[in-house]
Amino acid sequence: MTLKLISAEAVIFDGEVTSVTLPGSLGEFQVLRNHAALISTLTPGTVRYVAASGEEHSAEISGGLVDVDSNVVSVCIY
């Protein structure tokens, strides 16, 4: 699946991943390939993702929104 991690200033990451863990307003949740479509607000915390190469990465965020649809995870962060 594709992860697009975007702030107002720059595209932080745009590439293939195997999983994404996000700090949702109702608690942390993970998105895997073929996840159901969803939209959620995000709270301050850590976005963690595993690139297709197997490397683990993380990014601290102060909040944002996520849209999951057709194996594309779009994260817009503040």
Side-chain angles (χ1 to χ4, degrees), residues 27-65:
E28 186 176 85
F29 63 97
Q30 186 176 47
V31 176
L32 300 171
R33 184 165 188 75
N34 296 322
H35 195 285
L38 70 84
I39 296 174
S40 178
T41 55
L42 302 174
T43 60
T46 305
V47 175
R48 295 187 313 273
Y49 55 96
V50 179
S53 64
E55 295 177 48
E56 296 182 18
H57 301 273
S58 64
E60 292 296 318
I61 65 168
S62 56
L65 298 167

Side-chain angles (χ1 to χ4, degrees), residues 1-5 13 15-23 28-33 35 46-51 57 66 68 72-75:
M1 78 184 151
T2 302
L3 171 63
K4 297 180 181 187
L5 187 57
F13 181 83
E16 292 298 308
V17 298
T18 57
S19 69
V20 182
T21 304
L22 301 150
E28 186 176 85
F29 63 97
Q30 186 176 47
V31 176
L32 300 171
R33 184 165 188 75
H35 195 285
T46 305
V47 175
R48 295 187 313 273
Y49 55 96
V50 179
H57 301 273
V66 62
V68 178
V72 177
V73 181
S74 300
V75 181

